[in-house]
PDB file of all heavy atoms in Angstrom:
ATOM      1  N   PRO A 118     -23.727  22.266  58.713  1.00  0.00           N
ATOM      2  CA  PRO A 118     -23.247  20.878  58.569  1.00  0.00           C
ATOM      3  C   PRO A 118     -21.940  20.788  57.791  1.00  0.00           C
ATOM      4  O   PRO A 118     -21.222  19.790  57.900  1.00  0.00           O
ATOM      5  CB  PRO A 118     -24.387  20.187  57.803  1.00  0.00           C
ATOM      6  CG  PRO A 118     -25.585  21.024  58.072  1.00  0.00           C
ATOM      7  CD  PRO A 118     -25.082  22.438  58.169  1.00  0.00           C
ATOM      8  N   SER A 119     -21.629  21.812  57.009  1.00  0.00           N
ATOM      9  CA  SER A 119     -20.382  21.797  56.228  1.00  0.00           C
ATOM     10  C   SER A 119     -19.157  21.991  57.108  1.00  0.00           C
ATOM     11  O   SER A 119     -18.034  21.707  56.672  1.00  0.00           O
ATOM     12  CB  SER A 119     -20.427  22.874  55.146  1.00  0.00           C
ATOM     13  OG  SER A 119     -20.458  24.172  55.710  1.00  0.00           O
ATOM     14  N   ILE A 120     -19.361  22.461  58.341  1.00  0.00           N
ATOM     15  CA  ILE A 120     -18.236  22.629  59.276  1.00  0.00           C
ATOM     16  C   ILE A 120     -18.043  21.302  59.989  1.00  0.00           C
ATOM     17  O   ILE A 120     -18.395  21.115  61.156  1.00  0.00           O
ATOM     18  CB  ILE A 120     -18.503  23.757  60.290  1.00  0.00           C
ATOM     19  CG1 ILE A 120     -18.916  25.045  59.579  1.00  0.00           C
ATOM     20  CG2 ILE A 120     -17.268  24.028  61.136  1.00  0.00           C
ATOM     21  CD1 ILE A 120     -19.315  26.174  60.507  1.00  0.00           C
ATOM     22  N   SER A 121     -17.467  20.350  59.309  1.00  0.00           N
ATOM     23  CA  SER A 121     -17.274  19.011  59.866  1.00  0.00           C
ATOM     24  C   SER A 121     -16.164  18.289  59.119  1.00  0.00           C
ATOM     25  O   SER A 121     -16.074  18.369  57.886  1.00  0.00           O
ATOM     26  CB  SER A 121     -18.565  18.197  59.772  1.00  0.00           C
ATOM     27  OG  SER A 121     -18.336  16.842  60.121  1.00  0.00           O
ATOM     28  N   GLU A 122     -15.344  17.562  59.864  1.00  0.00           N
ATOM     29  CA  GLU A 122     -14.274  16.778  59.242  1.00  0.00           C
ATOM     30  C   GLU A 122     -14.829  15.641  58.390  1.00  0.00           C
ATOM     31  O   GLU A 122     -14.127  15.113  57.516  1.00  0.00           O
ATOM     32  CB  GLU A 122     -13.323  16.227  60.301  1.00  0.00           C
ATOM     33  CG  GLU A 122     -13.918  15.203  61.245  1.00  0.00           C
ATOM     34  CD  GLU A 122     -14.607  15.824  62.446  1.00  0.00           C
ATOM     35  OE1 GLU A 122     -15.012  17.011  62.370  1.00  0.00           O
ATOM     36  OE2 GLU A 122     -14.734  15.120  63.460  1.00  0.00           O
ATOM     37  N   LEU A 123     -16.087  15.272  58.610  1.00  0.00           N
ATOM     38  CA  LEU A 123     -16.687  14.187  57.828  1.00  0.00           C
ATOM     39  C   LEU A 123     -16.799  14.556  56.356  1.00  0.00           C
ATOM     40  O   LEU A 123     -16.753  13.674  55.488  1.00  0.00           O
ATOM     41  CB  LEU A 123     -18.069  13.840  58.381  1.00  0.00           C
ATOM     42  CG  LEU A 123     -18.104  13.271  59.801  1.00  0.00           C
ATOM     43  CD1 LEU A 123     -19.535  12.984  60.222  1.00  0.00           C
ATOM     44  CD2 LEU A 123     -17.249  12.012  59.901  1.00  0.00           C
ATOM     45  N   THR A 124     -16.938  15.846  56.063  1.00  0.00           N
ATOM     46  CA  THR A 124     -17.026  16.283  54.661  1.00  0.00           C
ATOM     47  C   THR A 124     -15.697  16.078  53.944  1.00  0.00           C
ATOM     48  O   THR A 124     -15.659  16.004  52.706  1.00  0.00           O
ATOM     49  CB  THR A 124     -17.416  17.766  54.572  1.00  0.00           C
ATOM     50  OG1 THR A 124     -16.397  18.582  55.179  1.00  0.00           O
ATOM     51  CG2 THR A 124     -18.738  18.025  55.281  1.00  0.00           C
ATOM     52  N   ILE A 125     -14.625  15.982  54.710  1.00  0.00           N
ATOM     53  CA  ILE A 125     -13.296  15.738  54.151  1.00  0.00           C
ATOM     54  C   ILE A 125     -12.971  14.249  54.194  1.00  0.00           C
ATOM     55  O   ILE A 125     -12.491  13.673  53.218  1.00  0.00           O
ATOM     56  CB  ILE A 125     -12.240  16.550  54.929  1.00  0.00           C
ATOM     57  CG1 ILE A 125     -12.458  18.044  54.659  1.00  0.00           C
ATOM     58  CG2 ILE A 125     -10.825  16.131  54.540  1.00  0.00           C
ATOM     59  CD1 ILE A 125     -11.630  18.961  55.508  1.00  0.00           C
ATOM     60  N   ASP A 126     -13.258  13.616  55.333  1.00  0.00           N
ATOM     61  CA  ASP A 126     -12.984  12.182  55.485  1.00  0.00           C
ATOM     62  C   ASP A 126     -13.734  11.345  54.447  1.00  0.00           C
ATOM     63  O   ASP A 126     -13.302  10.244  54.101  1.00  0.00           O
ATOM     64  CB  ASP A 126     -13.378  11.716  56.891  1.00  0.00           C
ATOM     65  CG  ASP A 126     -12.555  12.398  57.978  1.00  0.00           C
ATOM     66  OD1 ASP A 126     -11.488  12.970  57.640  1.00  0.00           O
ATOM     67  OD2 ASP A 126     -12.973  12.370  59.150  1.00  0.00           O
ATOM     68  N   HIS A 127     -14.845  11.851  53.971  1.00  0.00           N
ATOM     69  CA  HIS A 127     -15.659  11.145  52.981  1.00  0.00           C
ATOM     70  C   HIS A 127     -14.859  10.787  51.739  1.00  0.00           C
ATOM     71  O   HIS A 127     -15.110   9.762  51.083  1.00  0.00           O
ATOM     72  CB  HIS A 127     -16.866  12.019  52.601  1.00  0.00           C
ATOM     73  CG  HIS A 127     -17.694  11.450  51.496  1.00  0.00           C
ATOM     74  ND1 HIS A 127     -18.528  10.353  51.662  1.00  0.00           N
ATOM     75  CD2 HIS A 127     -17.809  11.818  50.188  1.00  0.00           C
ATOM     76  CE1 HIS A 127     -19.119  10.079  50.510  1.00  0.00           C
ATOM     77  NE2 HIS A 127     -18.713  10.945  49.597  1.00  0.00           N
ATOM     78  N   PHE A 128     -13.869  11.621  51.397  1.00  0.00           N
ATOM     79  CA  PHE A 128     -13.105  11.420  50.164  1.00  0.00           C
ATOM     80  C   PHE A 128     -11.779  10.702  50.392  1.00  0.00           C
ATOM     81  O   PHE A 128     -10.998  10.525  49.452  1.00  0.00           O
ATOM     82  CB  PHE A 128     -12.834  12.769  49.494  1.00  0.00           C
ATOM     83  CG  PHE A 128     -14.077  13.515  49.115  1.00  0.00           C
ATOM     84  CD1 PHE A 128     -14.452  14.664  49.786  1.00  0.00           C
ATOM     85  CD2 PHE A 128     -14.897  13.039  48.100  1.00  0.00           C
ATOM     86  CE1 PHE A 128     -15.606  15.347  49.439  1.00  0.00           C
ATOM     87  CE2 PHE A 128     -16.062  13.705  47.743  1.00  0.00           C
ATOM     88  CZ  PHE A 128     -16.416  14.861  48.421  1.00  0.00           C
ATOM     89  N   ALA A 129     -11.511  10.275  51.625  1.00  0.00           N
ATOM     90  CA  ALA A 129     -10.231   9.626  51.926  1.00  0.00           C
ATOM     91  C   ALA A 129     -10.142   8.257  51.259  1.00  0.00           C
ATOM     92  O   ALA A 129     -11.157   7.584  51.026  1.00  0.00           O
ATOM     93  CB  ALA A 129     -10.067   9.477  53.435  1.00  0.00           C
ATOM     94  N   GLU A 130      -8.920   7.850  50.961  1.00  0.00           N
ATOM     95  CA  GLU A 130      -8.710   6.528  50.345  1.00  0.00           C
ATOM     96  C   GLU A 130      -8.882   5.445  51.404  1.00  0.00           C
ATOM     97  O   GLU A 130      -8.363   5.549  52.511  1.00  0.00           O
ATOM     98  CB  GLU A 130      -7.295   6.441  49.756  1.00  0.00           C
ATOM     99  CG  GLU A 130      -7.003   5.093  49.112  1.00  0.00           C
ATOM    100  CD  GLU A 130      -5.583   4.976  48.619  1.00  0.00           C
ATOM    101  OE1 GLU A 130      -4.734   5.775  49.068  1.00  0.00           O
ATOM    102  OE2 GLU A 130      -5.314   4.090  47.792  1.00  0.00           O
ATOM    103  N   ARG A 131      -9.619   4.408  51.038  1.00  0.00           N
ATOM    104  CA  ARG A 131      -9.813   3.266  51.929  1.00  0.00           C
ATOM    105  C   ARG A 131      -9.636   1.972  51.145  1.00  0.00           C
ATOM    106  O   ARG A 131     -10.142   1.839  50.036  1.00  0.00           O
ATOM    107  CB  ARG A 131     -11.219   3.295  52.556  1.00  0.00           C
ATOM    108  CG  ARG A 131     -11.422   4.424  53.549  1.00  0.00           C
ATOM    109  CD  ARG A 131     -12.863   4.462  54.045  1.00  0.00           C
ATOM    110  NE  ARG A 131     -13.047   5.440  55.103  1.00  0.00           N
ATOM    111  CZ  ARG A 131     -13.231   6.739  54.911  1.00  0.00           C
ATOM    112  NH1 ARG A 131     -13.238   7.217  53.673  1.00  0.00           N
ATOM    113  NH2 ARG A 131     -13.387   7.564  55.920  1.00  0.00           N
ATOM    114  N   GLN A 132      -8.903   1.056  51.745  1.00  0.00           N
ATOM    115  CA  GLN A 132      -8.753  -0.248  51.112  1.00  0.00           C
ATOM    116  C   GLN A 132     -10.054  -1.028  51.243  1.00  0.00           C
ATOM    117  O   GLN A 132     -10.819  -0.824  52.181  1.00  0.00           O
ATOM    118  CB  GLN A 132      -7.610  -1.029  51.769  1.00  0.00           C
ATOM    119  CG  GLN A 132      -6.235  -0.416  51.566  1.00  0.00           C
ATOM    120  CD  GLN A 132      -5.811  -0.385  50.114  1.00  0.00           C
ATOM    121  OE1 GLN A 132      -6.297  -1.162  49.294  1.00  0.00           O
ATOM    122  NE2 GLN A 132      -4.894   0.526  49.780  1.00  0.00           N
ATOM    123  N   ARG A 133     -10.306  -1.904  50.311  1.00  0.00           N
ATOM    124  CA  ARG A 133     -11.544  -2.685  50.320  1.00  0.00           C
ATOM    125  C   ARG A 133     -11.665  -3.448  51.646  1.00  0.00           C
ATOM    126  O   ARG A 133     -10.734  -4.142  52.076  1.00  0.00           O
ATOM    127  CB  ARG A 133     -11.557  -3.667  49.151  1.00  0.00           C
ATOM    128  CG  ARG A 133     -12.881  -4.423  48.994  1.00  0.00           C
ATOM    129  CD  ARG A 133     -12.787  -5.379  47.812  1.00  0.00           C
ATOM    130  NE  ARG A 133     -12.575  -4.670  46.561  1.00  0.00           N
ATOM    131  CZ  ARG A 133     -13.544  -4.156  45.820  1.00  0.00           C
ATOM    132  NH1 ARG A 133     -14.801  -4.245  46.240  1.00  0.00           N
ATOM    133  NH2 ARG A 133     -13.272  -3.543  44.679  1.00  0.00           N
ATOM    134  N   GLY A 134     -12.809  -3.310  52.297  1.00  0.00           N
ATOM    135  CA  GLY A 134     -13.060  -4.012  53.548  1.00  0.00           C
ATOM    136  C   GLY A 134     -12.495  -3.326  54.772  1.00  0.00           C
ATOM    137  O   GLY A 134     -12.600  -3.841  55.886  1.00  0.00           O
ATOM    138  N   ASN A 135     -11.893  -2.155  54.588  1.00  0.00           N
ATOM    139  CA  ASN A 135     -11.308  -1.432  55.715  1.00  0.00           C
ATOM    140  C   ASN A 135     -11.932  -0.042  55.792  1.00  0.00           C
ATOM    141  O   ASN A 135     -11.856   0.735  54.841  1.00  0.00           O
ATOM    142  CB  ASN A 135      -9.793  -1.317  55.539  1.00  0.00           C
ATOM    143  CG  ASN A 135      -9.104  -0.763  56.785  1.00  0.00           C
ATOM    144  OD1 ASN A 135      -9.767  -0.394  57.762  1.00  0.00           O
ATOM    145  ND2 ASN A 135      -7.791  -0.709  56.743  1.00  0.00           N
ATOM    146  N   ASP A 136     -12.543   0.278  56.926  1.00  0.00           N
ATOM    147  CA  ASP A 136     -13.192   1.579  57.086  1.00  0.00           C
ATOM    148  C   ASP A 136     -12.208   2.690  57.422  1.00  0.00           C
ATOM    149  O   ASP A 136     -12.526   3.869  57.286  1.00  0.00           O
ATOM    150  CB  ASP A 136     -14.261   1.514  58.192  1.00  0.00           C
ATOM    151  CG  ASP A 136     -15.451   0.663  57.767  1.00  0.00           C
ATOM    152  OD1 ASP A 136     -15.663   0.537  56.552  1.00  0.00           O
ATOM    153  OD2 ASP A 136     -16.140   0.125  58.649  1.00  0.00           O
ATOM    154  N   LYS A 137     -11.016   2.309  57.893  1.00  0.00           N
ATOM    155  CA  LYS A 137     -10.024   3.327  58.272  1.00  0.00           C
ATOM    156  C   LYS A 137      -9.359   3.907  57.028  1.00  0.00           C
ATOM    157  O   LYS A 137      -8.943   3.158  56.134  1.00  0.00           O
ATOM    158  CB  LYS A 137      -8.961   2.731  59.193  1.00  0.00           C
ATOM    159  CG  LYS A 137      -9.442   2.464  60.605  1.00  0.00           C
ATOM    160  CD  LYS A 137      -8.277   2.071  61.498  1.00  0.00           C
ATOM    161  CE  LYS A 137      -7.309   3.246  61.631  1.00  0.00           C
ATOM    162  NZ  LYS A 137      -6.200   2.940  62.569  1.00  0.00           N
ATOM    163  N   PRO A 138      -9.230   5.233  56.949  1.00  0.00           N
ATOM    164  CA  PRO A 138      -8.570   5.848  55.787  1.00  0.00           C
ATOM    165  C   PRO A 138      -7.092   5.471  55.720  1.00  0.00           C
ATOM    166  O   PRO A 138      -6.448   5.219  56.751  1.00  0.00           O
ATOM    167  CB  PRO A 138      -8.729   7.358  56.057  1.00  0.00           C
ATOM    168  CG  PRO A 138      -9.826   7.464  57.048  1.00  0.00           C
ATOM    169  CD  PRO A 138      -9.744   6.234  57.887  1.00  0.00           C
TER     170      PRO A 138
END
Side-chain angles (χ1 to χ4, degrees):
S119 65
I120 309 175
S121 171
E122 66 274 23
L123 295 180
T124 63
I125 292 172
D126 297 343
H127 174 73
F128 299 110
E130 179 184 18
R131 291 175 174 82
Q132 294 297 337
R133 186 180 297 275
N135 189 356
D136 291 335
K137 286 188 65 176

